[in-house]
Amino acid sequence: MIWAYPDLNLITTLAILFGLLYFIYLFRFYLINKKLEVKMHRLFFKIILRVSYFVLFLIALSGPSVGTALKEIKEEGKDIFIAIDLSQSMNATDIGPSRLQRVKFELKNLVKNFAGDRIGLIIFSSEAFVQCPLTFDQNVIQLHLDGLNTNLVPNQGTDISAPLNMALDKFNLENSPDINSKSVILISDGEDFADNFRDQTSRLSEQGIKVFSLGVGTSQGSTIPRGNTKIIDPKTNQPAITRLESNNLKLIATQTDGQYFELSDDVQEIPDLIAAIERQEGTVTGTRMVEASANKYFYFLLIGLGLALLDLLLPIKTINL
């Protein structure tokens, strides 16, 4: 017999409590026996009856399972590339402490929700690079997230098509059999100086790869710090102002059957992003055989209830008056 979910502390507590109360019950009858004639064989029968159904209740509470059978368990997962904009505008402070620092904090919590999925990191600005290939190793992902900064990539403008093309190439190399398992989380403030992503979105859509875009920043925007100074706009010779440009991000999400979300101090849609990705169908990454057994607690419970009902409906006289 297998015990499915025994709570030994609870069972021990109940057994001690029952024994204590029943000791008081027997001691009471011992005192009565000094004055009244007690039928000991009837009292013994009542004790056996009550102890029996209480023990049956304890067995039922322990969750007994009888017999085992092999059951096939399928393990499913998704392939997710997180593409993170590391252009200088991600240092803007319209989101505290900065856009990039806030993204790093949110991503460290996000990836924990996908422990059974393969996650990869792509960093980009004017060019895109694979910072971490697809992996199940959460520790590696967290380590790479900690090290993200805007000095990791060339900063000569932002090209949103670069990470999309990189993700598409890597997915094709992986050759995953289930197209519904592939998705890209595109994180950016939306500024795009190349404006040539439309060819990439059509190819992503054809292969069933959905892009979930996350717009980071505010429409009011802010200046961009650089050391103790600020980045200057060469056209106006004034501090450059960067603002969230959501149109391109929304268009990319729409064209790939994905969704658009925002992140700022006022709008925090990371939980919605997590829920949207969780709804995506996963790929069968493997199967394993486990021993499963059926819980038979109800048999013991029914017999115990039957004995308890018998004790209630058919009281046995133990005292003769």
Side-chain angles (χ1 to χ4, degrees), residues 22 36-37 70 87 103 138 160 167 189 206 213 220 238 240-241 252 262 271 294 307 316:
Y22 219 74
L36 303 175
E37 182 181 354
L70 291 178
S87 59
V103 165
Q138 289 269 319
I160 289 182
D189 52 28
E206 289 173 0
S213 53
Q220 295 79 18
Q238 298 292 325
I241 303 295
I252 292 171
E262 283 190 11
L307 294 178
I316 302 174

Side-chain angles (χ1 to χ4, degrees), residues 7 15 27 30 33 66 98 104 107 110 125 167 172 174 213-214 223 243-244 247 268 274 299:
D7 188 337
F27 183 71
Y30 170 76
N33 188 42
V66 180
S98 72
K104 291 168 61 174
L107 283 182
L110 180 145
S125 180
N172 289 335
E174 292 292 335
S213 53
L214 178 66
T223 56
R243 296 179 176 84
L244 171 63
N247 291 335
Q268 302 178 30
I274 294 173
Y299 292 123

Side-chain angles (χ1 to χ4, degrees), residues 279-316:
R279 288 193 294 268
Q280 301 305 303
E281 183 180 352
T283 300
V284 177
T285 58
T287 60
R288 57 190 176 95
M289 304 299 293
V290 298
E291 286 190 351
S293 56
N295 196 307
K296 305 297 183 181
Y297 77 93
F298 48 86
Y299 292 123
F300 297 92
L301 182 61
L302 288 177
I303 296 173
L305 289 174
L307 294 178
L309 186 62
L310 179 66
D311 184 30
L312 179 65
L313 297 180
L314 299 176
I316 302 174

Side-chain angles (χ1 to χ4, degrees), residues 217-234:
T218 63
S219 57
Q220 295 79 18
S222 72
T223 56
I224 308 171
R226 175 185 286 172
N228 296 325
T229 61
K230 299 177 181 178
I231 292 180
I232 301 299
D233 186 345

Side-chain angles (χ1 to χ4, degrees), residues 65-296:
S65 299
V66 180
T68 60
L70 291 178
K71 184 177 180 180
E72 184 181 45
I73 302 296
K74 293 183 178 181
E75 299 175 341
E76 293 188 350
K78 308 178 186 68
D79 286 347
I80 305 169
F81 265 117
I82 302 176
I84 307 168
D85 185 354
L86 292 185
S87 59
Q88 291 293 331
S89 59
M90 292 297 287
N91 289 325
T93 56
D94 52 348
I95 301 177
S98 72
R99 293 176 181 176
L100 181 56
Q101 292 301 320
R102 181 64 174 277
V103 165
K104 291 168 61 174
F105 172 78
E106 296 291 350
L107 283 182
K108 293 184 71 172
N109 292 324
L110 180 145
V111 297
K112 293 177 182 178
N113 290 273
F114 303 100
D117 304 314
R118 294 198 306 171
I119 298 176
L121 296 180
I122 295 175
I123 56 177
F124 71 96
S125 180
S126 55
E127 300 179 49
F129 305 89
V130 176
Q131 182 74 353
C132 178
L134 292 170
T135 179
F136 289 107
D137 195 330
Q138 289 269 319
N139 292 328
V140 171
I141 295 293
Q142 298 286 352
L143 183 63
H144 282 292
L145 289 175
D146 284 333
L148 292 179
N149 64 81
T150 55
N151 295 321
L152 294 177
V153 294
N155 272 279
Q156 299 173 355
T158 304
D159 182 3
I160 289 182
S161 66
L164 299 180
N165 186 58
M166 180 69 69
L168 183 61
D169 291 343
K170 294 303 179 181
F171 278 137
N172 289 335
L173 288 176
E174 292 292 335
N175 195 25
S176 178
D178 187 351
I179 62 174
N180 292 325
S181 68
K182 304 173 185 177
S183 58
V184 177
I185 301 176
L186 178 62
I187 302 173
S188 175
D189 52 28
E191 293 181 336
D192 183 17
F193 296 94
D195 196 26
N196 60 350
F197 58 80
R198 287 169 178 79
D199 291 340
Q200 307 302 330
T201 55
S202 61
R203 292 174 59 196
L204 290 166
S205 181
E206 289 173 0
Q207 299 191 30
I209 302 173
K210 297 182 179 181
V211 178
F212 298 90
S213 53
L214 178 66
V216 183
T218 63
S219 57
Q220 295 79 18
S222 72
T223 56
I224 308 171
R226 175 185 286 172
N228 296 325
T229 61
K230 299 177 181 178
I231 292 180
I232 301 299
D233 186 345
K235 294 180 180 180
T236 62
N237 205 29
Q238 298 292 325
I241 303 295
T242 173
R243 296 179 176 84
L244 171 63
E245 302 289 344
S246 62
N247 291 335
N248 286 339
L249 296 176
K250 290 179 180 178
L251 183 60
I252 292 171
T254 301
Q255 291 179 343
T256 58
D257 197 27
Q259 289 181 255
Y260 170 76
F261 305 92
E262 283 190 11
L263 175 63
S264 67
D265 289 337
D266 298 325
V267 182
Q268 302 178 30
E269 297 181 339
I270 293 294
D272 298 328
L273 170 60
I274 294 173
I277 298 174
E278 287 178 338
R279 288 193 294 268
Q280 301 305 303
E281 183 180 352
T283 300
V284 177
T285 58
T287 60
R288 57 190 176 95
M289 304 299 293
V290 298
E291 286 190 351
S293 56
N295 196 307
K296 305 297 183 181

